[in-house]
Amino acid sequence: QARKRAFGSAQKPQRLSVGGKVLFSYDVEWLPSEVTWASRYDVYLHAASGNLPDAVHWFSITNSLAVALALSAVIAFILIRALRRDISKIREEQFLESGLIGTDEDQRLWRLLAKDVFRPPKANKLMLCVVVGTGSQMLLSIFATIVFAFIGFLSPQSRGSVLVGIVLLYALSGMLSGFVSARLYKTFRGTQWRRCSFAVATFFPGLMILLFAALETIVVMHQRPAPALPFVATAMLIATWLFVYVPLCFAGSYLGYQKPPFEFPQSTNRIARAIPEQPFLLKPHVAYAILGILPFAACFIELFFIMSSVWLGQTYYVFGFLLLVTTLMLLMCAEGAIVLTYFSLCAEDYRWWWRSFLGPATVGLYVLAYSVFYFQRLQVHNWATYVLYFGYMLMGCTAVSIMAGTSGFLACLWFVRFIYGAIKAD
Protein backbone atom coordinates (compact mmCIF):
# COMPACT_ATOMS: atom_id res chain seq x y z
CA GLN A 1 0.00 0.00 0.00
CA ALA A 2 1.20 3.50 -0.80
CA ARG A 3 0.41 6.81 0.90
CA LYS A 4 1.20 10.07 -0.91
CA ARG A 5 2.32 13.20 0.99
CA ALA A 6 3.96 16.48 0.12
CA PHE A 7 7.36 17.57 1.32
CA GLY A 8 7.02 19.49 4.53
CA SER A 9 4.18 19.36 7.08
CA ALA A 10 1.50 21.51 8.64
CA GLN A 11 4.02 22.78 11.16
CA LYS A 12 6.68 23.40 8.54
CA PRO A 13 5.02 23.87 5.16
CA GLN A 14 6.89 23.72 1.88
CA ARG A 15 7.75 27.16 0.52
CA LEU A 16 6.35 27.83 -2.95
CA SER A 17 7.09 30.48 -5.48
CA VAL A 18 5.46 31.58 -8.70
CA GLY A 19 6.42 29.08 -11.38
CA GLY A 20 8.08 26.85 -8.83
CA LYS A 21 7.70 23.10 -8.44
CA VAL A 22 5.74 21.17 -5.85
CA LEU A 23 7.69 18.12 -4.71
CA PHE A 24 5.77 14.96 -3.77
CA SER A 25 6.86 11.69 -2.28
CA TYR A 26 5.14 8.63 -0.91
CA ASP A 27 5.58 5.98 1.75
CA VAL A 28 5.22 2.24 1.06
CA GLU A 29 4.03 -0.14 3.73
CA TRP A 30 4.36 -3.83 2.84
CA LEU A 31 1.68 -6.12 4.23
CA PRO A 32 1.71 -9.95 4.13
CA SER A 33 -0.71 -11.59 1.70
CA GLU A 34 -1.92 -15.13 1.09
CA VAL A 35 -2.03 -14.59 -2.71
CA THR A 36 0.68 -16.51 -4.53
CA TRP A 37 3.03 -14.78 -6.95
CA ALA A 38 1.60 -16.60 -9.97
CA SER A 39 -1.93 -15.43 -9.06
CA ARG A 40 -1.09 -11.80 -8.31
CA TYR A 41 -3.01 -10.48 -11.35
CA ASP A 42 -6.12 -12.62 -10.88
CA VAL A 43 -8.00 -9.93 -8.99
CA TYR A 44 -7.60 -7.50 -11.88
CA LEU A 45 -8.49 -10.14 -14.48
CA HIS A 46 -11.65 -11.15 -12.65
CA ALA A 47 -12.62 -7.55 -12.06
CA ALA A 48 -12.28 -6.79 -15.76
CA SER A 49 -14.20 -9.85 -16.91
CA GLY A 50 -16.85 -10.29 -14.26
CA ASN A 51 -18.60 -13.58 -13.54
CA LEU A 52 -20.08 -14.17 -16.99
CA PRO A 53 -16.98 -15.44 -18.82
CA ASP A 54 -16.39 -18.28 -16.35
CA ALA A 55 -19.97 -19.45 -16.87
CA VAL A 56 -19.50 -19.25 -20.61
CA HIS A 57 -16.24 -21.21 -20.37
CA TRP A 58 -17.97 -23.93 -18.38
CA PHE A 59 -20.76 -24.01 -20.95
CA SER A 60 -18.14 -24.46 -23.66
CA ILE A 61 -16.56 -27.35 -21.76
CA THR A 62 -19.96 -28.99 -21.22
CA ASN A 63 -20.85 -28.58 -24.87
CA SER A 64 -17.55 -30.07 -26.02
CA LEU A 65 -17.79 -32.93 -23.55
CA ALA A 66 -21.31 -33.83 -24.69
CA VAL A 67 -20.26 -34.04 -28.33
CA ALA A 68 -17.13 -36.01 -27.44
CA LEU A 69 -19.15 -38.51 -25.39
CA ALA A 70 -21.58 -38.97 -28.26
CA LEU A 71 -18.75 -39.75 -30.66
CA SER A 72 -17.11 -42.01 -28.09
CA ALA A 73 -20.37 -43.97 -27.83
CA VAL A 74 -20.32 -44.48 -31.59
CA ILE A 75 -16.69 -45.65 -31.49
CA ALA A 76 -17.48 -47.99 -28.60
CA PHE A 77 -20.39 -49.47 -30.55
CA ILE A 78 -18.15 -50.11 -33.54
CA LEU A 79 -15.29 -51.61 -31.56
CA ILE A 80 -17.23 -53.59 -28.95
CA ARG A 81 -20.24 -54.84 -30.92
CA ALA A 82 -19.77 -54.63 -34.67
CA LEU A 83 -16.08 -55.45 -34.90
CA ARG A 84 -16.14 -58.14 -32.23
CA ARG A 85 -19.02 -59.87 -33.98
CA ASP A 86 -17.36 -59.52 -37.37
CA ILE A 87 -13.98 -60.79 -36.21
CA SER A 88 -15.48 -63.80 -34.41
CA LYS A 89 -17.46 -64.83 -37.49
CA ILE A 90 -14.45 -64.32 -39.74
CA ARG A 91 -12.38 -66.60 -37.55
CA GLU A 92 -15.11 -69.24 -37.67
CA GLU A 93 -15.09 -69.05 -41.45
CA GLN A 94 -11.34 -69.46 -41.51
CA PHE A 95 -11.59 -72.69 -39.54
CA LEU A 96 -14.28 -73.94 -41.94
CA GLU A 97 -12.17 -72.79 -44.94
CA SER A 98 -15.28 -71.34 -46.50
CA GLY A 99 -15.25 -68.70 -49.20
CA LEU A 100 -18.76 -67.47 -48.37
CA ILE A 101 -19.32 -64.12 -46.81
CA GLY A 102 -22.38 -65.15 -44.80
CA THR A 103 -25.64 -63.39 -44.01
CA ASP A 104 -23.96 -60.27 -42.58
CA GLU A 105 -22.14 -59.42 -45.80
CA ASP A 106 -22.80 -55.70 -45.69
CA GLN A 107 -21.40 -55.39 -42.17
CA ARG A 108 -18.17 -57.29 -42.89
CA LEU A 109 -17.12 -56.07 -46.30
CA TRP A 110 -14.18 -54.33 -44.66
CA ARG A 111 -12.57 -57.78 -44.26
CA LEU A 112 -12.34 -58.12 -48.06
CA LEU A 113 -9.93 -55.17 -48.16
CA ALA A 114 -7.25 -56.89 -46.07
CA LYS A 115 -4.90 -57.09 -49.06
CA ASP A 116 -5.47 -53.49 -50.15
CA VAL A 117 -6.07 -51.42 -47.02
CA PHE A 118 -2.34 -50.85 -46.37
CA ARG A 119 -1.56 -49.96 -49.97
CA PRO A 120 0.42 -46.66 -49.98
CA PRO A 121 -1.43 -43.67 -51.43
CA LYS A 122 -0.86 -43.13 -55.12
CA ALA A 123 -0.95 -39.34 -55.10
CA ASN A 124 1.18 -36.97 -53.03
CA LYS A 125 2.47 -39.48 -50.52
CA LEU A 126 5.51 -37.28 -49.87
CA MET A 127 3.28 -34.32 -49.02
CA LEU A 128 1.22 -36.51 -46.70
CA CYS A 129 4.37 -37.46 -44.81
CA VAL A 130 5.39 -33.80 -44.57
CA VAL A 131 2.08 -32.55 -43.17
CA VAL A 132 1.79 -35.45 -40.71
CA GLY A 133 5.31 -34.85 -39.43
CA THR A 134 4.67 -31.11 -39.16
CA GLY A 135 1.38 -31.72 -37.38
CA SER A 136 3.00 -34.03 -34.84
CA GLN A 137 5.53 -31.34 -34.01
CA MET A 138 2.83 -28.67 -33.74
CA LEU A 139 0.74 -30.81 -31.41
CA LEU A 140 3.70 -31.22 -29.08
CA SER A 141 4.65 -27.53 -29.09
CA ILE A 142 1.07 -26.26 -28.66
CA PHE A 143 0.26 -28.59 -25.78
CA ALA A 144 3.57 -27.81 -24.07
CA THR A 145 2.93 -24.07 -24.39
CA ILE A 146 -0.58 -24.34 -22.95
CA VAL A 147 0.68 -26.43 -20.04
CA PHE A 148 3.48 -23.95 -19.28
CA ALA A 149 0.98 -21.08 -19.40
CA PHE A 150 -1.41 -23.00 -17.16
CA ILE A 151 1.16 -23.61 -14.43
CA GLY A 152 2.29 -19.97 -14.53
CA PHE A 153 5.54 -20.03 -16.50
CA LEU A 154 4.01 -17.72 -19.13
CA SER A 155 2.20 -14.68 -17.77
CA PRO A 156 -0.96 -13.45 -19.54
CA GLN A 157 0.04 -9.89 -18.65
CA SER A 158 3.14 -10.14 -20.82
CA ARG A 159 1.81 -9.58 -24.32
CA GLY A 160 3.45 -11.90 -26.79
CA SER A 161 4.98 -14.27 -24.26
CA VAL A 162 2.70 -17.12 -25.36
CA LEU A 163 3.58 -16.55 -29.01
CA VAL A 164 7.29 -16.50 -28.20
CA GLY A 165 6.88 -19.72 -26.25
CA ILE A 166 5.15 -21.39 -29.20
CA VAL A 167 7.90 -20.35 -31.60
CA LEU A 168 10.71 -21.54 -29.32
CA LEU A 169 9.06 -24.86 -28.48
CA TYR A 170 8.23 -25.42 -32.14
CA ALA A 171 11.86 -24.87 -33.12
CA LEU A 172 13.19 -27.09 -30.35
CA SER A 173 10.84 -29.94 -31.28
CA GLY A 174 11.97 -30.01 -34.91
CA MET A 175 13.48 -33.46 -34.47
CA LEU A 176 10.01 -34.97 -34.00
CA SER A 177 8.70 -33.75 -37.37
CA GLY A 178 11.75 -35.08 -39.18
CA PHE A 179 11.52 -38.45 -37.44
CA VAL A 180 7.79 -38.99 -38.06
CA SER A 181 7.87 -37.89 -41.69
CA ALA A 182 10.98 -39.94 -42.51
CA ARG A 183 9.67 -43.14 -40.97
CA LEU A 184 6.27 -42.75 -42.61
CA TYR A 185 7.88 -42.04 -45.98
CA LYS A 186 10.01 -45.17 -45.58
CA THR A 187 6.83 -47.11 -44.84
CA PHE A 188 5.37 -45.84 -48.11
CA ARG A 189 8.47 -47.18 -49.87
CA GLY A 190 9.51 -43.72 -50.99
CA THR A 191 12.85 -43.23 -52.67
CA GLN A 192 13.30 -39.43 -52.62
CA TRP A 193 14.32 -39.26 -48.97
CA ARG A 194 16.45 -36.12 -49.40
CA ARG A 195 13.52 -34.29 -50.93
CA CYS A 196 11.29 -35.41 -48.07
CA SER A 197 13.74 -34.17 -45.43
CA PHE A 198 14.13 -30.83 -47.17
CA ALA A 199 10.37 -30.43 -47.57
CA VAL A 200 9.56 -31.07 -43.92
CA ALA A 201 12.27 -28.61 -42.87
CA THR A 202 11.05 -25.81 -45.14
CA PHE A 203 7.35 -26.37 -45.90
CA PHE A 204 5.44 -24.94 -42.95
CA PRO A 205 8.08 -22.57 -41.48
CA GLY A 206 8.99 -21.27 -44.94
CA LEU A 207 5.34 -20.79 -45.86
CA MET A 208 4.61 -18.89 -42.65
CA ILE A 209 7.69 -16.68 -42.97
CA LEU A 210 6.87 -15.86 -46.60
CA LEU A 211 3.29 -14.93 -45.73
CA PHE A 212 4.46 -12.90 -42.77
CA ALA A 213 7.07 -11.08 -44.85
CA ALA A 214 4.52 -10.38 -47.59
CA LEU A 215 2.03 -8.91 -45.11
CA GLU A 216 4.66 -6.75 -43.44
CA THR A 217 5.99 -5.54 -46.79
CA ILE A 218 2.56 -4.57 -48.07
CA VAL A 219 1.75 -2.64 -44.91
CA VAL A 220 5.14 -0.87 -44.80
CA MET A 221 4.88 0.22 -48.43
CA HIS A 222 1.40 1.70 -48.12
CA GLN A 223 1.13 2.94 -44.54
CA ARG A 224 3.22 5.46 -42.60
CA PRO A 225 4.00 4.92 -39.78
CA ALA A 226 3.80 1.18 -40.32
CA PRO A 227 3.16 -1.31 -37.47
CA ALA A 228 5.93 -3.57 -38.68
CA LEU A 229 7.99 -6.04 -36.70
CA PRO A 230 11.46 -4.68 -35.88
CA PHE A 231 14.30 -5.82 -38.07
CA VAL A 232 16.16 -7.44 -35.16
CA ALA A 233 13.13 -9.53 -34.22
CA THR A 234 12.68 -10.62 -37.83
CA ALA A 235 16.35 -11.58 -38.11
CA MET A 236 16.17 -13.58 -34.88
CA LEU A 237 13.08 -15.40 -36.15
CA ILE A 238 14.80 -16.40 -39.39
CA ALA A 239 17.99 -17.35 -37.55
CA THR A 240 16.00 -19.61 -35.19
CA TRP A 241 14.52 -21.35 -38.20
CA LEU A 242 17.81 -21.82 -40.08
CA PHE A 243 20.21 -22.59 -37.23
CA VAL A 244 17.97 -24.37 -34.71
CA TYR A 245 14.94 -25.88 -36.41
CA VAL A 246 16.50 -27.05 -39.69
CA PRO A 247 19.47 -28.94 -38.10
CA LEU A 248 17.16 -30.64 -35.60
CA CYS A 249 14.77 -31.57 -38.39
CA PHE A 250 17.51 -33.17 -40.46
CA ALA A 251 18.78 -35.02 -37.40
CA GLY A 252 15.30 -36.40 -36.78
CA SER A 253 15.01 -37.44 -40.43
CA TYR A 254 18.30 -39.33 -40.18
CA LEU A 255 17.08 -41.18 -37.10
CA GLY A 256 13.75 -41.93 -38.80
CA TYR A 257 15.39 -43.48 -41.83
CA GLN A 258 17.53 -45.66 -39.58
CA LYS A 259 14.41 -47.15 -37.98
CA PRO A 260 12.45 -49.94 -39.69
CA PRO A 261 9.17 -48.96 -41.38
CA PHE A 262 5.85 -49.39 -39.64
CA GLU A 263 4.77 -53.02 -39.60
CA PHE A 264 1.33 -53.90 -40.92
CA PRO A 265 -0.54 -57.10 -40.13
CA GLN A 266 -1.49 -57.72 -43.77
CA SER A 267 0.51 -57.77 -46.98
CA THR A 268 -0.54 -55.94 -50.16
CA ASN A 269 -1.56 -57.44 -53.48
CA ARG A 270 0.12 -56.25 -56.64
CA ILE A 271 -3.18 -55.57 -58.39
CA ALA A 272 -5.41 -53.06 -56.68
CA ARG A 273 -9.01 -53.95 -55.96
CA ALA A 274 -11.75 -52.11 -57.83
CA ILE A 275 -13.65 -49.54 -55.77
CA PRO A 276 -17.43 -49.43 -56.23
CA GLU A 277 -19.56 -46.30 -56.37
CA GLN A 278 -19.70 -44.67 -52.96
CA PRO A 279 -22.87 -43.54 -51.14
CA PHE A 280 -23.68 -39.85 -51.15
CA LEU A 281 -22.71 -39.28 -47.50
CA LEU A 282 -19.32 -40.90 -48.08
CA LYS A 283 -18.36 -38.71 -51.01
CA PRO A 284 -15.34 -36.58 -50.05
CA HIS A 285 -16.91 -33.11 -50.19
CA VAL A 286 -19.96 -34.25 -48.19
CA ALA A 287 -18.08 -36.32 -45.61
CA TYR A 288 -15.46 -33.63 -45.04
CA ALA A 289 -18.09 -30.92 -44.52
CA ILE A 290 -19.94 -33.03 -41.96
CA LEU A 291 -16.81 -34.15 -40.14
CA GLY A 292 -15.47 -30.61 -39.68
CA ILE A 293 -18.60 -29.31 -37.96
CA LEU A 294 -18.29 -31.39 -34.79
CA PRO A 295 -14.79 -30.28 -33.69
CA PHE A 296 -15.63 -26.68 -34.54
CA ALA A 297 -18.78 -26.88 -32.42
CA ALA A 298 -16.60 -27.89 -29.50
CA CYS A 299 -14.22 -24.95 -29.72
CA PHE A 300 -16.05 -21.98 -31.25
CA ILE A 301 -17.07 -20.51 -27.87
CA GLU A 302 -13.51 -20.56 -26.58
CA LEU A 303 -12.36 -19.31 -29.98
CA PHE A 304 -14.30 -16.10 -29.38
CA PHE A 305 -12.26 -15.28 -26.27
CA ILE A 306 -8.97 -16.14 -27.96
CA MET A 307 -9.73 -13.87 -30.91
CA SER A 308 -10.83 -11.10 -28.56
CA SER A 309 -7.47 -11.39 -26.84
CA VAL A 310 -5.57 -11.23 -30.12
CA TRP A 311 -7.55 -8.52 -31.95
CA LEU A 312 -9.23 -6.47 -29.20
CA GLY A 313 -6.42 -6.37 -26.66
CA GLN A 314 -8.30 -8.31 -23.99
CA THR A 315 -6.40 -10.53 -21.59
CA TYR A 316 -6.84 -14.28 -21.90
CA TYR A 317 -5.86 -16.15 -18.77
CA VAL A 318 -8.04 -19.28 -18.47
CA PHE A 319 -5.46 -21.68 -19.90
CA GLY A 320 -6.98 -24.59 -18.00
CA PHE A 321 -10.18 -24.22 -20.02
CA LEU A 322 -8.11 -23.86 -23.18
CA LEU A 323 -6.26 -27.10 -22.42
CA LEU A 324 -9.52 -29.00 -21.93
CA VAL A 325 -11.17 -27.55 -25.04
CA THR A 326 -8.13 -28.24 -27.21
CA THR A 327 -7.96 -31.83 -25.96
CA LEU A 328 -11.66 -32.40 -26.60
CA MET A 329 -11.47 -30.84 -30.06
CA LEU A 330 -8.57 -33.07 -31.12
CA LEU A 331 -10.29 -36.07 -29.56
CA MET A 332 -13.38 -35.41 -31.66
CA CYS A 333 -11.19 -35.03 -34.76
CA ALA A 334 -9.70 -38.45 -34.07
CA GLU A 335 -13.04 -40.09 -33.33
CA GLY A 336 -14.74 -38.56 -36.35
CA ALA A 337 -11.93 -39.73 -38.61
CA ILE A 338 -12.24 -43.27 -37.23
CA VAL A 339 -15.99 -43.33 -37.90
CA LEU A 340 -15.48 -42.05 -41.44
CA THR A 341 -12.75 -44.60 -42.11
CA TYR A 342 -14.82 -47.49 -40.80
CA PHE A 343 -17.85 -46.71 -42.95
CA SER A 344 -15.59 -46.14 -45.96
CA LEU A 345 -14.03 -49.57 -45.47
CA CYS A 346 -17.49 -51.10 -45.17
CA ALA A 347 -18.25 -49.48 -48.55
CA GLU A 348 -15.14 -51.22 -49.98
CA ASP A 349 -13.11 -48.03 -50.29
CA TYR A 350 -9.59 -48.58 -48.98
CA ARG A 351 -8.29 -45.08 -49.81
CA TRP A 352 -8.23 -43.94 -46.21
CA TRP A 353 -4.79 -42.33 -45.97
CA TRP A 354 -5.61 -38.86 -47.24
CA ARG A 355 -9.26 -39.10 -46.18
CA SER A 356 -8.30 -39.54 -42.53
CA PHE A 357 -6.25 -36.34 -42.73
CA LEU A 358 -8.44 -34.11 -44.88
CA GLY A 359 -11.66 -34.90 -43.03
CA PRO A 360 -10.64 -33.47 -39.63
CA ALA A 361 -8.55 -30.76 -41.35
CA THR A 362 -11.74 -29.05 -42.57
CA VAL A 363 -12.18 -27.63 -39.07
CA GLY A 364 -9.66 -24.99 -40.15
CA LEU A 365 -12.04 -23.88 -42.91
CA TYR A 366 -14.82 -23.44 -40.37
CA VAL A 367 -12.49 -21.36 -38.20
CA LEU A 368 -11.67 -19.21 -41.23
CA ALA A 369 -15.38 -18.76 -41.96
CA TYR A 370 -15.96 -17.78 -38.34
CA SER A 371 -13.18 -15.20 -38.61
CA VAL A 372 -15.14 -13.51 -41.42
CA PHE A 373 -18.12 -13.25 -39.05
CA TYR A 374 -15.93 -12.00 -36.18
CA PHE A 375 -14.40 -9.31 -38.37
CA GLN A 376 -17.61 -7.31 -38.01
CA ARG A 377 -16.69 -6.59 -34.37
CA LEU A 378 -13.54 -4.72 -35.37
CA GLN A 379 -13.43 -1.02 -36.13
CA VAL A 380 -11.90 -0.87 -39.58
CA HIS A 381 -10.34 2.45 -40.58
CA ASN A 382 -8.13 1.50 -43.51
CA TRP A 383 -7.42 -1.33 -45.89
CA ALA A 384 -4.32 -2.43 -43.97
CA THR A 385 -6.58 -3.85 -41.28
CA TYR A 386 -8.15 -6.16 -43.85
CA VAL A 387 -4.74 -7.34 -45.06
CA LEU A 388 -3.31 -8.03 -41.61
CA TYR A 389 -6.46 -9.60 -40.18
CA PHE A 390 -7.22 -12.07 -42.94
CA GLY A 391 -3.55 -12.75 -43.58
CA TYR A 392 -2.83 -13.72 -39.98
CA MET A 393 -6.10 -15.64 -39.68
CA LEU A 394 -5.16 -17.62 -42.78
CA MET A 395 -1.87 -18.55 -41.13
CA GLY A 396 -3.60 -19.58 -37.91
CA CYS A 397 -6.28 -21.62 -39.70
CA THR A 398 -3.60 -23.45 -41.67
CA ALA A 399 -1.94 -24.48 -38.41
CA VAL A 400 -5.29 -25.62 -36.96
CA SER A 401 -6.01 -27.71 -40.07
CA ILE A 402 -2.62 -29.43 -39.93
CA MET A 403 -2.97 -30.28 -36.23
CA ALA A 404 -6.54 -31.55 -36.59
CA GLY A 405 -5.67 -33.59 -39.67
CA THR A 406 -2.66 -35.15 -37.95
CA SER A 407 -4.73 -36.24 -34.95
CA GLY A 408 -7.24 -37.90 -37.28
CA PHE A 409 -4.53 -39.59 -39.34
CA LEU A 410 -2.68 -41.04 -36.34
CA ALA A 411 -5.95 -42.29 -34.81
CA CYS A 412 -6.98 -44.00 -38.05
CA LEU A 413 -3.53 -45.55 -38.45
CA TRP A 414 -3.94 -47.18 -35.04
CA PHE A 415 -7.55 -48.17 -35.76
CA VAL A 416 -6.86 -49.85 -39.10
CA ARG A 417 -3.85 -51.72 -37.76
CA PHE A 418 -5.95 -52.86 -34.80
CA ILE A 419 -8.93 -54.27 -36.71
CA TYR A 420 -6.88 -55.98 -39.41
CA GLY A 421 -4.39 -57.28 -36.87
CA ALA A 422 -7.23 -59.14 -35.14
CA ILE A 423 -7.81 -61.35 -38.19
CA LYS A 424 -5.54 -63.34 -40.48
CA ALA A 425 -6.32 -63.16 -44.14
CA ASP A 426 -6.03 -66.35 -46.21
Side-chain angles (χ1 to χ4, degrees):
Q1 295 182 355
R3 183 172 64 254
K4 185 185 297 185
R5 65 178 178 82
F7 278 100
S9 61
Q11 293 78 16
K12 189 178 180 181
Q14 182 179 172
R15 295 182 177 276
L16 300 177
S17 59
V18 178
K21 297 181 180 180
V22 179
L23 303 178
F24 289 89
S25 181
Y26 61 89
D27 295 333
V28 177
E29 182 180 359
W30 300 99
L31 300 177
S33 175
E34 298 180 355
V35 179
T36 61
W37 175 259
S39 304
R40 63 190 184 281
Y41 286 109
D42 288 358
V43 61
Y44 304 105
L45 298 176
H46 287 289
S49 59
N51 296 324
L52 178 62
D54 285 343
V56 176
H57 290 306
W58 281 115
F59 175 78
S60 175
I61 294 294
T62 306
N63 175 51
S64 305
L65 187 60
V67 179
L69 290 177
L71 282 177
S72 300
V74 176
I75 299 296
F77 174 80
I78 293 175
L79 293 176
I80 296 176
R81 297 191 60 182
L83 289 180
R84 185 174 62 181
R85 182 179 63 247
D86 293 349
I87 292 173
S88 62
K89 291 185 178 181
I90 289 170
R91 286 174 174 172
E92 291 178 3
E93 292 177 0
Q94 290 175 349
F95 281 112
L96 296 176
E97 296 182 354
S98 174
L100 300 177
I101 300 300
T103 57
D104 296 332
E105 180 179 357
D106 293 339
Q107 297 180 2
R108 294 185 287 124
L109 289 177
W110 61 269
R111 187 257 183 179
L112 302 177
L113 305 179
K115 295 296 185 178
D116 294 279
V117 70
F118 296 108
R119 187 181 304 277
K122 292 183 179 180
N124 301 319
K125 61 182 178 182
L126 187 146
M127 181 55 64
L128 179 60
C129 299
V130 170
V131 293
V132 171
T134 302
S136 303
Q137 177 190 7
M138 292 176 60
L139 289 173
L140 175 62
S141 59
I142 291 296
F143 269 100
T145 303
I146 297 176
V147 170
F148 287 154
F150 174 68
I151 61 181
F153 285 171
L154 301 175
S155 174
Q157 290 295 323
S158 178
R159 304 292 296 181
S161 60
V162 176
L163 182 59
V164 173
I166 293 176
V167 172
L168 291 179
L169 290 174
Y170 180 83
L172 294 176
S173 59
M175 186 175 293
L176 178 63
S177 63
F179 179 84
V180 173
S181 61
R183 192 173 183 188
L184 186 60
Y185 190 65
K186 188 176 182 179
T187 303
F188 289 160
R189 298 188 291 273
T191 57
Q192 300 176 337
W193 59 271
R194 291 186 180 88
R195 182 178 178 184
C196 180
S197 302
F198 179 78
V200 75
T202 58
F203 167 66
F204 184 76
L207 179 62
M208 294 296 104
I209 290 178
L210 287 178
L211 288 176
F212 177 78
L215 293 175
E216 292 291 317
T217 302
I218 294 174
V219 174
V220 168
M221 291 177 60
H222 295 84
Q223 183 176 355
R224 299 293 181 179
L229 190 68
F231 174 78
V232 176
T234 305
M236 292 179 61
L237 183 64
I238 297 177
T240 302
W241 171 40
L242 295 177
F243 300 108
V244 178
Y245 173 75
V246 172
L248 290 176
C249 186
F250 278 107
S253 298
Y254 175 79
L255 295 177
Y257 288 121
Q258 299 301 316
K259 294 289 184 178
F262 292 109
E263 296 183 358
F264 296 132
Q266 306 290 348
S267 58
T268 304
N269 288 335
R270 293 185 178 181
I271 302 176
R273 181 185 179 89
I275 300 175
E277 182 68 19
Q278 297 297 299
F280 176 75
L281 292 179
L282 291 180
K283 293 185 179 297
H285 59 281
V286 179
Y288 297 166
I290 297 175
L291 186 56
I293 293 178
L294 298 178
F296 175 75
C299 68
F300 81 97
I301 297 178
E302 204 68 25
L303 182 64
F304 171 82
F305 294 98
I306 296 175
M307 295 182 66
S308 298
S309 174
V310 174
W311 297 109
L312 298 179
Q314 299 181 7
T315 302
Y316 188 87
Y317 64 95
V318 284
F319 293 102
F321 288 106
L322 180 60
L323 181 62
L324 291 176
V325 170
T326 304
T327 303
L328 290 175
M329 184 198 72
L330 295 175
L331 178 63
M332 280 183 281
C333 290
E335 292 175 341
I338 290 176
V339 173
L340 176 61
T341 300
Y342 174 74
F343 286 112
S344 297
L345 294 177
C346 290
E348 300 184 74
D349 189 353
Y350 53 84
R351 300 169 300 182
W352 64 273
W353 295 102
W354 269 111
R355 183 182 291 112
S356 64
F357 181 89
L358 295 177
T362 53
V363 67
L365 297 178
Y366 284 97
V367 174
L368 185 61
Y370 178 78
S371 67
V372 177
F373 169 78
Y374 184 86
F375 186 72
Q376 302 175 3
R377 298 177 56 89
L378 304 180
Q379 297 180 359
V380 181
H381 300 290
N382 50 53
W383 65 270
T385 304
Y386 288 89
V387 174
L388 292 177
Y389 178 82
F390 289 105
Y392 287 135
M393 287 306 304
L394 179 62
M395 296 167 63
C397 293
T398 302
V400 172
S401 296
I402 294 177
M403 287 190 296
T406 300
S407 63
F409 178 87
L410 296 178
C412 288
L413 180 60
W414 167 84
F415 174 76
V416 174
R417 293 177 65 185
F418 172 79
I419 63 175
Y420 285 96
I423 62 174
K424 293 182 179 178
D426 296 333

